[in-house]
Amino acid sequence: MANENFTVNKIDSFIITGFDHLQNQKLLGFFILITYMLILLGNSINLCIIMTDRHLHKPMYILICNLAVVDIMFSSTCSTTMISVLLAEIKTVSYYSCISRTYFYHVGDFTEVMALTLMAIDRLIAIKLPLRYHSIVTNSRTFLFIFVTWIAGFAVLGFVISVVDSVPYCQPVIRYVFCDYASMIRAACVNPEPYFFLPAMLSLWPIFGQFPFILCTYAVLAYSVTKLSNNSSRKQLINTCLSHLIVLLSFYAPKIVSSLLTRIGVVLNLTERNAIVIVASLVPPLINPTVYCTRTKEIRKRLTDIFLRKKIVPNHLKSLSIALSS
């Protein structure tokens, strides 16, 4: 379905032009660079704390580690392109670099949805079946489910990216701010509308499927809060649920806003569309580690110990020290 107005040629690279109309490109570039550095710092801190503390080798913290890895991959695929265009003024991206960035960007998006779903299920089991939680949710099962979500992401997006790789390209210009499915399809010399059906279905599934499911799990948790008589347990449960809800809304809010505006017939210009994409790509990976560092008691305590330079002595060494001194 090639457009006869263009001559189909082999494209070796693309030129990113999504920022060309902006005047303060350097300022935006520094803002994205700082945001990206904070994302790397926050998620790396979470990963290091959890990996180096055996007491945190539990299903919930394994899921937090998984989310941190997803956030780093998800933000890196888009941030590096934008920083390169805005600060280094390198607007050219090779074809295979662009298509690989597109692939890993959407894999990150998919696996983030799955990671948030697994975390919601984990909290639901912990609250509703506290006595059976440790027998149902084990480390090995958690790793297995994470592995399955990654394999599913690679497989589903592998099919989607094969569509992108098969279409003919006749203009080496991407009018968006980084490489993704929409930008590459619109750069091809085909009618783009039929090619948006599959990604539209993939994007509607989390918004109208998994998002309501996760909200239902938190509605059940909220109902459980009302049944607790212990104020400290109630407060702890509220803090846990609030942390997850902040993370959830930061990820889904831009997607829901964009989807609703499109459905009610609001036509977004290129700048507005690019702004929503940037927010959706950078805000969740920035908020996630911040929330878990500040609202998860064990991580917060471990981080405080590190900054206050408290020496953390393992339990068996404490026992040995007491035995020697007695």
Side-chain angles (χ1 to χ4, degrees):
M1 212 162 36
N3 191 331
E4 296 179 355
N5 293 330
F6 295 102
T7 302
V8 178
N9 298 312
K10 178 177 175 58
I11 299 296
D12 295 322
S13 60
F14 292 100
I15 301 172
I16 308 292
T17 63
F19 295 112
D20 284 0
H21 62 287
L22 297 179
Q23 295 183 355
N24 298 321
Q25 293 187 19
K26 295 288 184 184
L27 181 62
L28 178 60
F30 278 116
F31 176 76
I32 293 175
L33 175 62
I34 292 171
T35 302
Y36 179 54
M37 291 175 65
L38 290 174
I39 289 171
L40 293 180
L41 178 64
N43 285 290
S44 298
I45 287 173
N46 269 354
L47 283 172
C48 290
I49 288 175
I50 294 171
M51 291 175 66
T52 56
D53 191 341
R54 289 188 177 183
H55 295 94
L56 300 182
H57 293 179
K58 301 174 184 177
M60 185 181 77
Y61 299 103
I62 293 172
L63 292 172
I64 292 176
C65 278
N66 176 53
L67 186 63
V69 172
V70 172
D71 284 338
I72 290 174
M73 182 184 74
F74 183 52
S75 59
S76 295
T77 54
C78 58
S79 297
T80 51
T81 301
M82 294 189 287
I83 291 168
S84 176
V85 172
L86 292 168
L87 295 181
E89 298 183 357
I90 301 173
K91 298 181 180 181
T92 303
V93 181
S94 69
Y95 174 82
Y96 288 107
S97 175
C98 193
I99 204 167
S100 62
R101 287 166 189 260
T102 299
Y103 179 57
F104 286 107
Y105 175 79
H106 290 292
V107 167
D109 194 29
F110 180 92
T111 49
E112 179 120 3
V113 170
M114 300 304 295
L116 294 174
T117 304
L118 289 178
M119 295 175 83
I121 295 172
D122 172 74
R123 289 301 86 201
L124 182 64
I125 296 173
I127 300 303
K128 298 302 293 182
L129 301 170
L131 299 179
R132 297 179 58 196
Y133 173 78
H134 293 292
S135 62
I136 296 173
V137 185
T138 62
N139 286 358
S140 57
R141 286 176 182 171
T142 303
F143 278 118
L144 176 62
F145 280 113
I146 290 173
F147 177 75
V148 169
T149 60
W150 279 87
I151 292 298
F154 282 123
V156 172
L157 274 304
F159 174 75
V160 173
I161 214 68
S162 67
V163 174
V164 177
D165 191 37
S166 65
V167 297
Y169 291 92
C170 44
Q171 49 177 341
V173 177
I174 287 180
R175 297 189 304 137
Y176 292 78
V177 291
F178 55 82
C179 300
D180 66 349
Y181 182 89
S183 64
M184 294 195 71
I185 287 296
R186 292 193 184 280
C189 32
V190 295
N191 176 14
E193 297 307 321
Y195 291 90
F196 283 126
F197 177 77
L198 178 59
M201 292 298 100
L202 291 176
S203 63
L204 290 177
W205 165 57
I207 293 176
F208 295 104
Q210 286 182 282
F211 182 62
F213 167 75
I214 296 173
L215 287 182
C216 287
T217 65
Y218 284 110
V220 173
L221 296 179
Y223 177 75
S224 301
V225 171
T226 62
K227 298 294 183 179
L228 294 176
S229 57
N230 191 316
N231 287 332
S232 61
S233 298
R234 182 182 299 180
K235 183 178 179 181
Q236 183 179 358
L237 181 57
I238 291 173
N239 284 335
T240 301
C241 293
L242 186 59
S243 300
H244 287 265
L245 283 174
I246 292 171
V247 169
L248 183 70
L249 293 176
S250 71
F251 178 75
Y252 276 102
K255 296 179 180 294
I256 293 173
V257 168
S258 178
S259 178
L260 288 177
L261 290 178
T262 303
R263 295 296 177 271
I264 63 177
V266 177
V267 179
L268 301 174
N269 60 41
L270 188 59
T271 302
E272 294 168 341
R273 195 178 298 274
N274 285 337
I276 291 176
V277 170
I278 292 173
V279 169
S281 303
L282 296 182
V283 171
L286 179 64
I287 287 179
N288 294 349
T290 306
V291 167
Y292 288 118
C293 275
T294 58
R295 301 194 67 86
T296 304
K297 181 180 177 181
E298 289 81 358
I299 296 178
R300 187 173 67 244
K301 182 179 182 301
R302 185 73 172 86
L303 191 61
T304 303
D305 291 341
I306 291 172
F307 278 106
L308 294 179
R309 298 189 177 184
K310 291 183 179 180
K311 186 176 181 181
I312 300 174
V313 183
N315 289 333
H316 70 280
L317 292 182
K318 287 181 180 179
S319 301
L320 179 61
S321 176
I322 293 171
L324 290 174
S325 60
S326 61

